[in-house]
Amino acid sequence: MIKAEKSLEKTVLSHTGRNDPNRASAARLRPPLPPPPRLPSPTPNPLRRHRRGQAARPIPRLLFQISRHCGCPFARFSSMESSSSSSSPPPAIPTCSDQGVWADASPLLAAACRDLEDGELVHGENFSLFAAMSALEIMDPKMDSGSERSGYNSIEEAIEDGVAPIPLSLDRTLDVQRSIDVMDHLFSCEATWHKGHTLAQTVFTCIYLMRMERTSSHAVLNSFCRVLRATCNAVICVVSTARTHEEEDLFTMSFGLPLKDEWDEKCLSILNSVEETISRQLRACKAQALSKKKTLEGLESLQDNPDLEEDYCRALLCRLRFRKHFHHVVTCMRKPHGRGLELARKHIASCLTELSLMLKSQAFLKSQSNITLQGDENCTTASGSQPVGFDVSLNSRLLSPTPPRAVKVLSWSDAIRYFEKLLHDLDVICASSVGPVLENVLHFIVQFQKSVPDLVPRAFLQTLLVQDGKLYGQYLFSDVISRALSLPAIIGDKEFQMNEFVVQLGQLVVNLLKIICTNTAWQRRKLGKSLQDWSTISIQLELALKREFGETRNDIHHENICIRVSKQLIIWTQEHAYWVASRFLILGFELDLYSPGEYCMVYWYMYVVFTKLIEKIQLRVLAISENSRRKGKKKKDHSKDSTRDRDTSFSSSCLLLQCYVLLSEGLSMMLAVLRNESRSFQLPSIFNTERERFIQHFDLLLKAQIPEHISYYSFKESASRACITDLVKYNFFKETQKIIPSLRGSFANEPEKLAELRRIEQVAEHNRIALNIINQVGAGDPSLKVSFEFTHHPHFAVAIVKRS
């Protein structure tokens, strides 16, 4: 649409080909204004045409708008050249609230296109490169989601053409078959939507969902679609609350689709009624088989073939029951404070049972479809038949103003596998019982993320952890911090809860929990950005402590509760800053961000961070032990307490971190030796230097000063001093193997940590053998070929030694 105004805003008219008036491009700017009493005089020359080496020539001033009502563009204008007024009368004029006058602008555009030469562009004076990059070309099917005219223009048109009949067939047997096909395709569309596509292009390509009132006479289809719609709406609410959605927020966009209805509250009762009817029919079929009767007394059959009645009843029942139980899972997991988790686990078990029955029904449904298939990789139904009642182009005009996205619906078998994994992930969430201990919560999330959960379970996990600004909706984060500091005396203390630094730390913990519930790429990026916040508040705490208490904070005999709490807060903050840094570095391996030539600097930085993390944990443990000793303990128990303190400081978690330190230091030194003596694993300097890559990988840590006084030159100096004799002398891999046996007893009841110990042991053993071979042959031997693979652990590489 084209509209003449006195001021020109974002205007783009792109010439896409000579003598091609239908390829004009435009962008909608704002709704039309009420017309003035009379048409104003022409405004000269705000649109110009540019070509290299030529001056711009004026053309009539235009302001563009988009209309989907008609196939050709229209314009309302204040002044136009006489050539445009000679056009034929426009087609039906679209109605407009401002009572404006509309006219066909196609002749004007055609004249402009004929006058333009290749490489020329018509644009406004405020045109910029940013405007060109932000513009959306219309009339191009690859860029304009509303230009495709191959499908139906409206749902009513599709219904009139018989795309979504009710009943689905006059043949009752075929009607049941087609109903199951619709359920299966919706099942596949739902899984595709969970993977990040839009509702409009997946679930709501079903005309029966778009016009639910038409299905009221078809009880099976109506009940299924109502529960599906209510479930989709509940999932959208969870994901929107968690704000973990990806794919440009398209997952939660409803595009004005009918997601809610006054009957949705009764959707389960409607489905239960249909389920009970089919269950009675199935029981009657079994009784008939035992009595060998040929007819069913008192019950109307689903379809006309008595021999197929039982199998069709089973196929329908498992699909309806899965839909019911999955809706219960979503509803129970949304209950506050985790009150519905136990019941949700029961429904999850029922869902998995119904999925197995759905798989069993596939063979029967294929036998009745009369379709010969080579494989079911692309089939979205169990029978392999194409479902009725779907049209992918109906909602294309509802999409946001972005290029249309090609959507490939998951196959039915892939959808089964997706829902099985989804239910297992949700079951893990429901079974978690970590309590208000932050260390356990963080460990659980990290372990949960190792299974690579999809968007929906991660959203449920986050909404369970953070509710109303509290952990599980029950524990204030100030109390969670006080528990971490082992200061029960200040739990619930209003002054402590309202302290400025405690409030900031609580918000940092909330943000941390939300961040590590996101996908791996977002998680790493946001963790890197949050490092500055942790570092800043740590510095602020130290300055405040020095300002309030001066040098007396170093005198243990004069410490009061405020000084001790402040010091422990500083240590606790620094500990979590290093935990975030270690997580940031580790995720780089999962995202394949490091090349083999960069492993040396990465493992060196991991060694530094893990060492500082152990140091902060030990300081926190010692401070906790000191607080316990002060609470009325007798002097004769002092020696026992000191021994216990030393044992606690080297707890199992610290020993596990010590294994990481030894592996990181050993790998870093091994790589440095190979760099120094054989010139292997050296970074190419074609595009950037090693220092530039160091900054690229660790810039966020360096800015946050985690740790302090670390730079590229620290790494360079450390790597240059590495030699094979020192590496063999200290043998970090052998030291790692010595620690592992003592940890097995501590982790006897934790299978995940036992599995981690086995992986670490394998890495240490293989690298120890590789080190011995390198030492015997000589690191500088040109026939020695060393590579690194992640065959036993996702973060710690294993050296593979070969001789050419």
Side-chain angles (χ1 to χ4, degrees):
M1 303 291 291
I2 306 175
K3 179 181 176 183
E5 297 278 347
K6 289 186 177 181
S7 61
L8 180 64
E9 298 181 4
K10 300 177 182 176
T11 305
V12 179
L13 176 60
S14 178
H15 175 55
T16 57
R18 295 186 75 181
N19 302 323
D20 190 5
N22 294 325
R23 294 287 301 231
S25 301
R28 183 167 187 171
L29 301 178
R30 59 182 182 181
L33 299 173
R38 69 171 76 183
L39 293 175
S41 59
T43 304
N45 195 27
L47 278 177
R48 303 181 182 277
R49 183 178 74 172
H50 290 269
R51 182 180 175 87
R52 290 182 185 174
Q54 295 183 359
R57 291 187 293 164
I59 67 170
R61 176 183 179 189
L62 306 174
L63 194 64
F64 298 96
Q65 295 177 322
I66 293 176
S67 174
R68 299 292 188 209
H69 297 286
C70 300
C72 61
F74 284 87
R76 192 181 64 180
F77 54 91
S78 59
S79 177
M80 190 173 288
E81 292 182 350
S82 58
S83 61
S84 64
S85 62
S86 61
S87 61
S88 58
I93 305 299
T95 59
C96 185
S97 59
D98 63 357
Q99 304 297 321
V101 179
W102 296 84
D104 187 4
S106 298
L108 177 64
L109 299 179
C113 288
R114 284 193 298 270
D115 195 34
L116 288 172
E117 297 181 6
D118 288 340
E120 291 185 324
L121 173 72
V122 176
H123 63 81
E125 291 180 345
N126 61 346
F127 180 79
S128 63
L129 178 61
F130 177 79
M133 298 298 293
S134 304
L136 179 65
E137 183 180 0
I138 66 171
M139 306 310 293
D140 182 353
K142 292 183 178 180
M143 298 296 295
D144 185 2
S145 60
S147 66
E148 183 61 46
R149 294 283 178 172
S150 59
Y152 297 101
N153 292 322
S154 66
I155 298 175
E156 286 70 23
E157 182 181 341
I159 293 173
E160 290 176 3
D161 200 36
V163 174
I166 294 291
L168 282 71
S169 175
L170 296 177
D171 184 343
R172 296 176 64 213
T173 302
L174 186 58
D175 179 79
V176 174
Q177 289 179 0
R178 290 182 174 178
S179 298
I180 294 174
D181 289 339
V182 170
M183 294 179 185
D184 285 347
H185 189 73
L186 282 171
F187 180 78
S188 300
C189 287
E190 185 181 13
T192 307
W193 172 54
H194 284 192
K195 285 291 189 178
H197 291 285
T198 64
L199 267 178
Q201 292 177 293
T202 52
V203 177
F204 276 85
T205 57
C206 180
I207 298 174
Y208 297 114
L209 271 174
M210 297 292 291
R211 294 293 183 268
M212 193 78 74
E213 64 278 0
R214 294 184 62 251
T215 64
S216 56
S217 60
H218 199 293
V220 172
L221 196 58
N222 180 269
S223 60
F224 184 90
C225 289
R226 286 192 181 278
V227 177
L228 172 62
R229 184 174 65 179
T231 305
C232 290
N233 188 44
V235 171
I236 285 179
C237 292
V238 172
V239 177
S240 299
T241 302
R243 301 177 66 85
T244 57
H245 41 285
E246 299 99 14
E247 301 292 343
E248 301 174 359
D249 302 340
L250 291 177
F251 183 94
T252 58
M253 286 187 178
S254 60
F255 303 102
L257 297 170
L259 277 172
K260 295 182 180 180
D261 189 82
E262 58 183 1
W263 289 95
D264 284 350
E265 295 180 358
K266 300 180 180 180
C267 63
L268 282 178
S269 60
I270 297 173
L271 189 140
N272 287 332
S273 175
V274 174
E275 179 193 349
E276 180 59 30
T277 301
I278 300 176
S279 297
R280 288 201 305 268
Q281 187 72 15
L282 179 60
R283 290 193 295 269
C285 289
K286 293 179 180 179
Q288 178 193 14
L290 293 175
S291 61
K292 298 183 179 180
K293 292 182 180 179
K294 295 185 178 180
T295 58
L296 297 174
E297 298 179 359
L299 287 174
E300 183 181 359
S301 62
L302 287 176
Q303 43 82 49
D304 298 327
N305 191 338
D307 297 332
L308 305 177
E309 186 75 7
E310 183 175 346
D311 290 317
Y312 275 125
C313 286
R314 292 182 187 278
L316 278 174
L317 272 177
C318 60
R319 285 159 174 78
L320 292 174
R321 285 171 176 168
F322 172 81
R323 184 52 51 200
K324 177 185 71 173
H325 288 300
F326 187 64
H327 180 77
H328 278 303
V329 170
V330 174
T331 304
C332 292
M333 292 191 70
R334 292 183 65 197
K335 291 182 179 180
H337 307 160
R339 288 197 292 261
L341 295 184
E342 289 188 16
L343 184 58
R345 293 196 72 187
K346 296 179 181 179
H347 287 294
I348 288 172
S350 299
C351 283
L352 291 171
T353 302
E354 301 305 329
L355 282 177
S356 63
L357 294 175
M358 288 169 62
L359 274 174
K360 289 181 180 179
S361 70
Q362 186 178 20
F364 166 74
L365 294 172
K366 279 187 175 181
S367 67
Q368 298 301 313
S369 65
N370 298 322
I371 296 177
T372 304
L373 297 173
Q374 300 297 326
D376 59 351
E377 291 81 7
N378 298 318
C379 297
T380 59
T381 61
S383 66
S385 304
Q386 289 294 324
V388 299
F390 292 84
D391 191 290
V392 297
S393 65
L394 281 178
N395 295 326
S396 61
R397 294 166 182 82
L398 297 177
L399 301 177
S400 57
T402 57
R405 309 169 69 195
V407 177
K408 186 178 185 303
V409 177
L410 292 177
S411 67
W412 187 77
S413 56
D414 287 340
I416 289 283
R417 286 189 287 270
Y418 166 78
F419 274 101
E420 285 178 343
K421 185 178 185 305
L422 169 65
L423 291 166
H424 283 300
D425 289 338
L426 294 178
D427 188 58
V428 171
I429 295 172
C430 294
S432 64
S433 57
V434 293
V437 181
L438 183 60
E439 182 181 355
N440 295 342
V441 174
L442 294 176
H443 175 73
F444 170 77
I445 300 175
V446 170
Q447 290 298 126
F448 179 72
Q449 287 279 28
K450 289 182 179 179
S451 65
V452 194
D454 287 292
L455 170 64
V456 174
R458 286 189 280 107
F460 274 108
L461 176 59
Q462 183 183 313
T463 54
L464 172 66
L465 292 174
V466 182
Q467 300 178 25
D468 301 325
K470 301 177 183 178
L471 184 63
Y472 302 116
Q474 304 177 47
Y475 307 102
L476 292 171
F477 280 97
S478 58
D479 293 343
V480 173
I481 295 172
S482 62
R483 281 188 173 90
L485 301 178
S486 294
L487 294 172
I490 61 174
I491 294 178
D493 184 80
K494 295 298 182 182
E495 185 178 356
F496 180 78
Q497 293 174 358
M498 299 303 294
N499 182 273
E500 176 186 357
F501 294 111
V502 174
V503 172
Q504 291 181 29
L505 285 173
Q507 188 58 50
L508 281 180
V509 173
V510 172
N511 293 339
L512 177 59
L513 294 177
K514 291 182 177 180
I515 287 171
I516 60 178
C517 286
T518 59
N519 65 53
T520 306
W522 279 27
Q523 187 181 154
R524 188 177 189 273
R525 184 170 65 250
K526 292 180 179 295
L527 283 176
K529 293 181 178 178
S530 69
L531 282 170
Q532 190 68 48
D533 298 329
W534 286 97
S535 178
T536 300
I537 195 170
S538 174
I539 295 172
Q540 290 176 347
L541 278 167
E542 288 185 329
L543 293 175
L545 181 61
K546 186 175 181 179
R547 183 175 60 251
E548 290 291 331
F549 302 103
E551 298 302 324
T552 59
R553 65 192 184 97
N554 295 320
D555 188 355
I556 297 177
H557 299 287
H558 293 89
E559 279 188 356
N560 57 26
I561 183 66
C562 294
I563 297 177
R564 291 201 301 273
V565 169
S566 300
K567 290 175 69 174
Q568 288 185 244
L569 272 179
I570 293 172
I571 295 171
W572 183 87
T573 304
Q574 293 172 345
E575 175 191 340
H576 283 79
Y578 284 111
W579 186 91
V580 171
S582 65
R583 183 73 182 156
F584 174 83
L585 292 171
I586 284 174
L587 289 177
F589 288 104
E590 298 183 12
L591 294 169
D592 293 328
L593 298 182
Y594 309 131
S595 66
E598 297 166 340
Y599 290 164
C600 183
M601 66 173 69
V602 174
Y603 284 123
W604 177 83
Y605 216 118
M606 287 173 60
Y607 154 70
V608 174
V609 168
F610 280 132
T611 302
K612 298 293 289 186
L613 178 57
I614 292 176
E615 176 188 325
K616 299 303 176 183
I617 292 176
Q618 291 176 348
L619 287 174
R620 175 174 59 84
V621 171
L622 288 172
I624 292 172
S625 302
E626 180 65 22
N627 288 335
S628 300
R629 189 187 64 80
R630 289 171 179 270
K631 291 180 180 180
K633 294 224 172 188
K634 297 179 181 180
K635 292 183 179 181
K636 65 179 181 180
D637 295 331
H638 179 69
S639 59
K640 295 181 180 179
D641 294 336
S642 301
T643 304
R644 190 181 302 115
D645 292 346
R646 287 194 297 270
D647 294 339
T648 306
S649 64
F650 294 99
S651 62
S652 56
S653 59
C654 285
L655 286 176
L656 182 59
L657 284 174
Q658 184 64 29
C659 291
Y660 295 158
V661 168
L662 292 171
L663 287 179
S664 300
E665 188 175 9
L667 285 168
S668 175
M669 188 174 289
M670 181 187 291
L671 286 158
V673 167
L674 293 171
R675 282 158 48 103
N676 296 338
E677 300 191 16
S678 66
R679 301 298 176 185
S680 57
F681 298 100
Q682 298 230 3
L683 292 175
S685 58
I686 300 175
F687 300 106
N688 51 14
T689 63
E690 186 180 60
R691 180 178 178 274
E692 289 173 336
R693 290 205 182 187
F694 186 92
I695 294 174
Q696 289 169 359
H697 282 303
F698 312 123
D699 185 47
L700 293 173
L701 286 83
L702 296 173
K703 288 180 178 177
Q705 296 184 357
I706 298 177
E708 294 180 340
H709 313 302
I710 289 293
S711 66
Y712 167 74
Y713 301 104
S714 306
F715 158 71
K716 193 69 175 177
E717 182 182 359
S718 176
S720 63
R721 294 200 307 264
C723 60
I724 189 66
T725 54
D726 289 340
L727 183 58
V728 174
K729 176 182 176 181
Y730 294 109
N731 206 332
F732 302 102
F733 306 117
K734 190 174 182 179
E735 291 298 320
T736 303
Q737 290 179 301
K738 292 180 180 179
I739 297 176
I740 291 175
S742 62
L743 284 174
R744 286 201 177 97
S746 303
F747 297 147
N749 298 323
E750 301 180 64
E752 295 169 348
K753 289 188 177 180
L754 286 176
E756 176 70 3
L757 287 179
R758 286 192 294 270
R759 288 192 291 266
I760 292 173
E761 189 173 25
Q762 288 176 331
V763 171
E765 176 65 19
H766 284 78
N767 283 328
R768 184 183 64 81
I769 296 172
L771 176 59
N772 291 336
I773 296 174
I774 294 172
N775 183 42
Q776 293 173 6
V777 177
D781 191 328
S783 65
L784 192 68
K785 304 297 181 184
V786 183
S787 61
F788 287 86
E789 298 178 359
F790 295 89
T791 52
H792 298 288
H793 198 284
H795 311 140
F796 296 102
V798 170
I800 308 297
V801 182
K802 296 179 181 179
R803 295 191 69 179
S804 57

